[in-house]
Structure formats: structure tokens, C-alpha cells
Amino acid sequence: MEAMISRPLTAGLKGEAMVPGDKSISHRALMLGALAVGETGITGLLEGEDVLATAGAMRALGAEIEREAPGRWRVAGCGVGALREPENVLDMGNSGTAARLLTGILASHPLFAVITGDASLRRRPMRRVMAPLAACGARFSARAGDLLPLAIEGARAALPLNYRLPVASAQVKSAVLLAGLNARGVTFVEEPVATRDHTENLLRHFGAALEVEDTGAGRVIRLAGLPELRAADITVPADPSSAAFPLVAALLVAGSRLVLRHVGLNPLRTGLFTTLAEMGAGLAVENSRIAGGEPVGDLVVTPAALRGVDVPSERAPRMIDEYPILAVAAACARGVTRLRGLGELRVKESDRLAATAALLQANGVAVAIAGDDLIITGMGGPPPGGGVVATAMDHRIAMSALVLGMATRAPVVVDDASFIETSFPGFVALMNGCGAAIAPLPADAA
Ligand code: S3P
């Protein structure tokens, strides 16, 4: 446990920063690089624990993966269908994305593997991927029917899947598409609401034949099986979900001006920016460009007097990881904010709906959960603070609480900041470099 304290700031956050690489794209770059023929160079790879777990798993499955310099990696792939059986259990640490996408890859490869993870990941549901993947011919055996550890016997001659997603989940969609790579015939996935499309973008980048049809009520994706994926270099943009923390901090702390460089602006990831603009935030995007097949730009953030908003549930897939930090912004806004349709937050790294409510409550903010909605009564200024937040093995709860502490009247403490390493190595140094005051909690204060 690494307890940390974040002290209220009296001067603004200033400077230019580039947050680490996008987590979703980093996992997929390593996985697809390992399934391609040839050498894929990756620049800007996130070197957080979650992505390192994926690198370890793809190595155990036969790919050669090397770090050449900070953020610069090289993957020599095996080719679709040519992964080797791992000698040991694959430990995916804290990462649901790694566990679920890997389950998709393994389902259509004729080998035996066991996936496990840390105590948080071992509580998260796996049936959502096992159920569709079983139809390709894979056999699964999971603890309590739904939980890791999960034993997988991949299909000998996988059948292509045809699946309509019952929940908006890019992880489930991606697991089905990745299984389809080693299945003869066309894999269909239908999603009622569009979710992040990094798997689709990268599959095309590696030469797979993939069609996406917007039906007006979601998307239908068709993937032709057994492509020869060809190695292709990848540039990973800075993660918008990580940029969200310094961004909200700069909105809340008077006198701030932060420039966040090279942030991924894929429209299926930018729901937070839309919501903050509705709340009155002045966010400017400079140098909009396409890099590595994804839109990116530099975000310029200055403080704003925010007002409460009602956020519709349809927006949830475009900002699913940003609710804890949005709740922090809402706590400082004037008026009530209602965040609708947050049922999926219950199965994140923690029960993030409960953890977000507890984070605010511990710091004197009035908050209620009504069904799947979170209702926050904004203070129209600095909340009291002074709370100790239980991070529940959840990196985003830890970072949200530390940002809250910059804008409260009294400091905010988190019981354990160690999980920040899963997605945002260097978070404390980056924030302190811009003027934050985050420090280990002195032992006598614990
Ligand atoms: C992710 C999808 C989302 C998100 C997670 C990353 C991905 O999960 O919360 O952090 O990379 O596909 P769901 O697909 O479960 O919504």
C-alpha cells in the first residue's frame, strides 16, 4: 500500500505535458503485432503494468517482443494460427482488456492456456466473452463459471462467429473479432451503440479485410477470416483517458494553463470533452492532425466556472472510463449533475459507481446513486475535502481523488496509489512538475 496526500493548490497548474500512450491501442498493437508476419515497430507504447502483462503473454505465446528505447518497441510476430502453447499460466495483472482480448485470440487457436489476474481482475465477469466465443468451438472452464482463473481449450478448426452485443463493450467486440482472425469464413459483430474502434482500425492497418456499416442504430462489422496480417509500424497517441486527469485539474485550479500534447481524439473516446464543454469548460484543440491512423491534437486548458449537467446514457460508451474524474469536476460545479446509465461501472477495476460515490462523500460532497445513475450536488466552488479515499485496486479512483485534493479546502488522502502504475506511470511526477503538491503520506499521519 502506498498512501499519498494531495494538497490544495494556491497557484495554477502550468506547463506542457505529454501523458503516456493510449492503453487500448497499446494492448492491441502488441497483440496484432504478435499475430502478424514480420516486424512491427511501435512508438509511444504505454509502459504501464497492464500493457507489460500483454507483452509478457504474447511472448509466452511465441512472439519476440523487445523494448528498444523508452516507448519504442519491436514485435516479431508468429502469424495468425501459429501461436505456440504457453508453458505456464498467463497472468494479466489488473487488466480486463488484456484478459478478454486474449481470450478471444486463444479461443480460435488449437492450444490449451490458463488466464489469471490480480484480486481485482479475478472478481470481474468473463462470461461476457466466454458465451459468444464458445460458438467457435472453444471450451472454457472458469472458477464459479464466470471468473478467473479461466482454462481455455481453443478450437481445432474454429467456426466464424455471428454475434450481436448485449452490452456496449469494446472488449467483447474485440474478443469476437480477434477470434475471427483464425476462423474460416466471415465473422459478424453487431453493436447497438458504437464503442471504441481501435481494433477495427488496427486490423485494417495490418491488412485484414474488414467492413463497417453504420446502421443508424449502431454498427455491423464484417471480418474475413484467415487473413495474412502484415507487420506495420504503429504510432500510439497519448491516452485521452489519462489526459483527462491533468485536464480536469487545470479546469478546477484557478490561474492554470496546461497544454497536453498529442492527445488521441478518436470521436468514440471524446465524450468527456463534449460533456465538459456543456458544463462551460473552455477547451481548445490545436494542431489537429492524423497520426498512426488516429486523430490527435494538442489540448489547451484554462480554468472555467463549471455548471451541472444531465449526461445521457447513450454517451456512456464514449466516456466510459472518465466518469470518476467527471464526477470530481461535477463536485466543484454549480448545480446538480446527473450521470445516467452507469451500470457497466460496477464491473470495472472496482465497483466504480460505488467507489466514485464514496470518494466524493468522504470529502463532503452530497452524492446519491439512483438505479444506474449517479447524482452529484455541486458545491459551486471548492468542496471541503479532508477525506481518506479507499482506492479499491482502481487506478482511476486513485488519480481522481488526488485531482480532487488540488481543488478542495483540506487535503485528500488515498490509501493506495500503487495501481496508478497500471495505466499512468509517472502521474505524480507529471502533475507535480506542473505545480501539484502530491506526496507520500508521512508515516506518522497514516
Ligand atoms: C476498453 C474498453 C472498455 C474500457 C476499458 C478499455 C478497451 O471496457 O472501460 O478501459 O480497450 O477495449 P468495456 O469494453 O468493458 O466497456
Side-chain angles (χ1 to χ4, degrees):
M1 300 278 264
E2 272 173 35
M4 295 279 225
I5 182 164
S6 178
R7 296 196 166 80
L9 302 182
T10 47
L13 293 160
K14 297 268 187 199
E16 290 194 5
M18 190 161 117
V19 304
D22 189 278
K23 183 147 72 80
S24 294
I25 297 175
S26 295
H27 284 300
R28 288 157 170 84
L30 289 170
M31 288 177 181
L32 289 176
L35 287 169
V37 174
E39 288 205 351
T40 291
I42 309 173
T43 312
L45 189 85
L46 168 63
E47 294 175 341
E49 288 168 357
D50 278 13
V51 174
L52 299 180
T54 289
M58 299 323 290
R59 269 194 200 111
L61 291 164
E64 281 172 34
I65 302 183
E66 267 175 50
R67 180 181 195 247
E68 296 184 328
R72 263 222 350 254
W73 290 60
R74 185 151 293 280
V75 182
C78 312
V80 168
L83 297 178
R84 71 160 189 243
E85 192 162 82
E87 279 178 23
N88 205 344
V89 168
L90 302 170
D91 186 346
M92 307 322 293
N94 192 250
S95 177
T97 305
R100 299 203 180 103
L101 270 56
L102 193 61
T103 302
I105 292 174
L106 293 170
S108 64
H109 278 76
L111 41 83
F112 172 77
V114 179
I115 298 181
T116 193
D118 70 11
S120 154
L121 186 52
R122 292 197 309 272
R123 284 192 285 269
R124 298 179 64 185
M126 292 298 290
R127 193 174 285 136
R128 54 177 58 202
V129 286
M130 291 189 289
L133 292 172
C136 81
R139 294 218 309 240
F140 299 103
S141 200
R143 180 173 61 93
D146 192 21
L147 303 173
L148 301 180
L150 165 65
I152 304 169
E153 264 181 73
R156 305 236 141 249
L159 299 168
L161 300 170
N162 182 341
Y163 193 60
R164 184 171 204 280
L165 298 181
V167 281
S169 168
Q171 292 179 0
V172 178
K173 169 177 67 175
S174 301
V176 170
L177 289 173
L178 292 170
L181 286 175
N182 201 31
R184 190 175 296 280
V186 178
T187 293
F188 288 83
V189 192
E190 188 177 347
E191 47 180 3
V193 189
T195 63
R196 66 189 70 193
D197 56 359
H198 307 302
T199 304
E200 295 91 309
N201 295 344
L202 280 181
L203 279 169
R204 277 204 201 90
H205 186 64
F206 278 88
L210 181 119
E211 285 169 26
V212 181
E213 186 193 334
D214 257 309
T215 60
R219 289 184 169 184
V220 177
I221 301 143
R222 295 180 182 80
L223 170 70
L226 303 181
E228 183 174 293
L229 298 183
R230 288 181 307 274
D233 290 348
I234 298 170
T235 306
V236 182
D239 196 327
S241 300
S242 296
F245 299 102
L247 187 157
V248 169
L251 281 177
L252 299 182
V253 177
S256 296
R257 187 176 190 277
L258 277 189
V259 180
L260 300 166
R261 296 261 177 238
H262 205 69
V263 178
L265 297 174
N266 181 313
L268 294 170
R269 298 287 296 281
T270 50
L272 176 73
F273 307 153
T274 308
T275 304
L276 289 172
E278 286 174 4
M279 294 174 80
L283 300 175
V285 180
E286 291 180 352
N287 301 320
S288 293
R289 57 205 184 270
I290 301 286
E294 294 273 345
V296 299
D298 302 333
L299 292 178
V300 184
V301 198
T302 49
L306 302 177
R307 49 183 179 272
V309 279
D310 193 320
V311 181
S313 54
E314 305 82 72
R315 199 178 294 159
R318 299 203 294 123
M319 55 182 297
I320 193 66
D321 293 331
E322 280 65 82
Y323 285 103
I325 192 64
L326 174 59
V328 166
C332 303
R334 182 174 303 283
V336 173
T337 289
R338 186 170 190 130
L339 307 175
R340 295 180 188 268
L342 308 192
E344 274 294 298
L345 292 198
R346 295 199 168 91
V347 289
K348 295 295 176 192
E349 286 82 331
S350 64
D351 174 345
R352 214 172 249 174
L353 185 52
T356 302
L359 183 174
L360 295 182
Q361 216 149 31
N363 288 290
V365 180
V367 59
I369 296 173
D372 287 344
D373 298 355
L374 186 63
I375 303 158
I376 300 151
T377 305
M379 313 282 309
V388 178
V389 174
T391 53
M393 303 180 80
D394 189 330
H395 53 132
R396 298 195 204 282
I397 295 296
M399 288 185 277
S400 299
L402 293 171
V403 169
L404 179 65
M406 298 174 201
T408 40
R409 285 200 282 274
V412 172
V413 168
V414 298
D415 65 345
D416 187 8
S418 62
F419 284 86
I420 293 173
E421 280 298 308
T422 61
S423 70
F424 197 154
F427 169 77
V428 170
L430 183 147
M431 292 306 314
N432 285 351
C434 298
I438 306 173
L441 185 68
D444 54 1

